[in-house]
Amino acid sequence: MSPPSPPQPRTLLKTVTQAFQAVQAKVDFGKLAVKPGARAAELEVLVNGKPTTYPLLGEHYIMGRSSSQCDIVAPSPIVSQVHATLTRDTNRPSQPFVMKDRNSTNGIYRGKKRLTQAVMNHGDVYTLGPPELEDAVTLRFSEPPPWYVKTARYTLYSFTGLSLAVGAWIVGVEWPKIPMRPLPDSVQGPVVVFGEENGAVVPLREQRSQSHQELRRMGDFSPYLPQALIASEDTRYYWHLGVDPLGIARAVLINVQDGAIRQGGSTISQQLARSVYREYVGTDDSAGRKIREAITALKLETFYSKNYLLLTYLNRVYLGENLYGFEDAAQFYFSKPARDLTLSEAATLVGILPGPNAFNPVQNYDAAVFYRDRVLDRMVSLGMVSQEEARRARRSRIEISPDATRQLQSTRAPYFYSYVFEELDNVLGTSLAREGNFYVETSVDLNLQTAAEDALRQDIATQGAALAYSQGAVVTLETSTGAIRALVGGVDFAQSQFNRASQALRQPGSTFKLFAYGAALERGIPPGRSFSCAPMNWNGQRFAGCRSGSGALDMYAGMARSENVVALRIAQEAGLRNVINVAERLGIESNLVASPGLTLGESEVTPLEITGSFAAVGNNGVWNRPHGILRVLDSSDCADPSDINTCRVIYEFGQAGDANRQAIDPGISSTLTGLLQGVVQGGTGRSAFLGRGEAGKTGTTDNNRDLWFIGFVPGRDLTTGVWLGNDDNTATRGSSGQAAAVWGNYMRQVVQ
């Protein structure tokens, strides 16, 4: 008989472990509290229908029947003494609890499947022992995800569901509407701009007669053309399926950063879709059109190869001047077939795509060079051409066909003609405007236009050198509608295409006092009230007293003599914010700064917008946006092609809410008209006197850099603004009286 084994010595480690387990076994998990707002995983243990909830606040737990060895106790004969462990896996990003079987007799089950371990997710249900057993213990794990995870999850679910619904709608409803074979015939039609002459409607430019040509193979084009096109318009053309998500995201980011629509996300396939399938895609600038365009692009890519679509684009894209496709453009601009285009010439034609009527090398050589070089830079960055090839192309002059130059330079009212395309971009959206196929009815009167051009040209020729100014602008509006009857943006369009009437931001000088006086009248300050002529300080700036030396002047005398300190006191009492408010209601869209100098014309405006403000005063306070376009018609959708009045109207002035807006009270506009009439009758604008009740205001800036006169003839429904100065903003030796004299000479011819 063997002697009994000696008792094992109690080690310190075993003692501490047993003590810890004893304490753990006595913990009542149901009484543990979690801090308010804190989230903890929980395990509900259901034994014989009785639930016990354990908050899982630690990292590791032992689960089983033994109350002395386990943290989570399940008193059931099905459960082993130590059945399983729960451990938080800190090596995973979400750090989930992992349950592992510890060689239990009856195992762990999820449904009918026995598990050796399981990653526990919120809502999971397990059983200790087969679920068919009556005494099986049920475990329910709960660890709700954070709100942002829930939000992301449900957003993904919603997006997926919406995507499936949209996909079903596209395939079931929209997809069958787009016939693919064969492609619709190419739509030809220029942008024809019409004006008025002696009561008749006439085109402003001779129309090109060369027939449209389409090439059959990519090899018929210069190899530089498709490369330049992809580099400029769609660098991932061979990657996407018709719509480029990365391009759209980039365009959205750039436009948000700039605060304006600077870049589009349309692929070559989308551009082709809206050009070829105009009837289905539509011409409106809306989200619906973009969706239809994307659907059409996707279907095009499904039925045709990338190279075929690229070939079609090269043959059909609108390049201005009744030119469709690069073969037409190559023959017109360079008198050669598209296959013979050099790198410089190919990049030039691709570069003008964003604005073919404005950026072509005849109308604006500098812009054509700029956009050509930008295309070359993109080609280099994509490895399509070498640095040396691009350098040689940049150093090449763009040599244009004499016939193209003659035709494009035959344009009547060239500054107005170029402005029409600026406005076309605004009213139709750039993407639609660049497609062409329009008849554009404008408001220009070619007789008035010729008189305005002659008046400016003659003044610069006779007075410009002596008075040190070399440029000017003249704008004539129909007072009652805001329609542009004449627009001259410079002395010689052939020498400079910069449109000083619509694009030049210049300080308006004392013409801006109109808004200060208007704001004062709105605040109830009577025009007969006198204001001191003494010097004044305002916001740390000192302003000299009246030039006339009078003790005080009322609004009539202050306006007529254009006394700065009187206007400043009027603006101070009315409030600069109110002055800005009146200016904006009267159509000033340029940025205005609320400083004392605002009253004296410190903030810059364009001649066109401030002339529109004076027209609104002459129109009983009713403002209309200054505009040259009356209607835009779709030349590809006419009941009778020989009668433009049977064509579908795409746009008509006034439909955007920019017409007949009551900007100021008629009584106030009447009082302002009286103040402005005093300027001409006995004030600084005497050189504009016609004897027909004309009203207007002179304006001069520091060192006579800007010379202005803006006025209207109430009985003739015409308002004209004149600006004289230099492009480099250098001082002149002239005065606003010279601008008033130009106004008078021109308007005298008009009213007669």
Side-chain angles (χ1 to χ4, degrees), residues 609-656:
E609 65 181 330
I610 196 167
T611 302
S613 300
F614 275 74
V617 172
N619 191 35
N620 296 314
V622 177
W623 177 81
N624 292 280
R625 178 178 61 80
H627 60 284
I629 297 176
L630 302 178
R631 293 195 305 170
V632 180
L633 302 99
D634 188 343
S635 61
S636 64
D637 189 3
C638 306
D640 179 358
S642 63
D643 182 0
I644 68 172
N645 290 311
T646 67
C647 301
R648 182 171 65 91
V649 177
I650 297 174
Y651 166 82
E652 190 164 12
F653 174 72
Q655 68 185 37

Side-chain angles (χ1 to χ4, degrees), residues 343-345 347-348 351 365 367-377 393-398:
L343 173 58
S344 173
E345 292 165 344
T348 298
Y365 184 85
V369 169
F370 172 81
Y371 288 107
R372 177 200 66 181
D373 291 350
R374 192 166 73 172
V375 172
L376 292 171
D377 290 341
R394 289 190 202 96
R395 292 171 62 86
S396 302
R397 178 171 177 78
I398 304 173

Side-chain angles (χ1 to χ4, degrees), residues 349-399:
L349 293 182
V350 170
I352 71 174
L353 276 172
N357 290 294
F359 300 155
N360 70 66
V362 177
Q363 298 294 95
N364 194 334
Y365 184 85
D366 291 340
V369 169
F370 172 81
Y371 288 107
R372 177 200 66 181
D373 291 350
R374 192 166 73 172
V375 172
L376 292 171
D377 290 341
R378 290 288 295 154
M379 295 177 75
V380 171
S381 68
L382 294 170
M384 294 176 172
V385 296
S386 68
Q387 286 278 10
E388 178 59 23
E389 288 177 300
R391 186 190 69 81
R392 293 186 63 186
R394 289 190 202 96
R395 292 171 62 86
S396 302
R397 178 171 177 78
I398 304 173
E399 299 293 345

Side-chain angles (χ1 to χ4, degrees), residues 502-663:
S502 63
Q503 297 173 325
L505 286 167
R506 308 293 306 200
Q507 290 185 336
S510 292
T511 61
F512 202 87
K513 292 174 182 176
L514 174 78
F515 308 114
Y517 279 75
L521 293 171
E522 282 194 338
R523 302 291 290 176
I525 300 172
R529 178 176 162 185
S530 295
F531 294 85
S532 172
C533 271
M536 69 178 291
N537 288 295
W538 189 2
N539 285 359
Q541 292 180 264
R542 179 172 176 78
F543 298 93
C546 292
R547 296 185 302 272
S548 60
S550 301
L553 296 175
D554 62 14
M555 286 191 188
Y556 291 99
M559 179 74 88
R561 301 181 191 179
S562 198
E563 292 289 5
N564 289 346
V565 73
V566 172
L568 286 164
R569 285 194 163 93
I570 290 171
Q572 187 178 50
E573 186 154 342
L576 289 175
R577 288 294 173 189
N578 293 321
V579 174
I580 290 176
N581 182 265
V582 169
E584 290 176 342
R585 278 187 277 132
L586 285 170
I588 300 298
E589 297 179 347
S590 299
N591 184 47
L592 302 176
V593 180
S595 67
L598 171 77
T599 309
L600 307 181
E602 188 175 74
S603 294
E604 297 172 330
V605 299
T606 67
L608 181 60
E609 65 181 330
I610 196 167
T611 302
S613 300
F614 275 74
V617 172
N619 191 35
N620 296 314
V622 177
W623 177 81
N624 292 280
R625 178 178 61 80
H627 60 284
I629 297 176
L630 302 178
R631 293 195 305 170
V632 180
L633 302 99
D634 188 343
S635 61
S636 64
D637 189 3
C638 306
D640 179 358
S642 63
D643 182 0
I644 68 172
N645 290 311
T646 67
C647 301
R648 182 171 65 91
V649 177
I650 297 174
Y651 166 82
E652 190 164 12
F653 174 72
Q655 68 185 37
D658 50 3
N660 296 318
R661 188 178 76 197
Q662 190 72 51

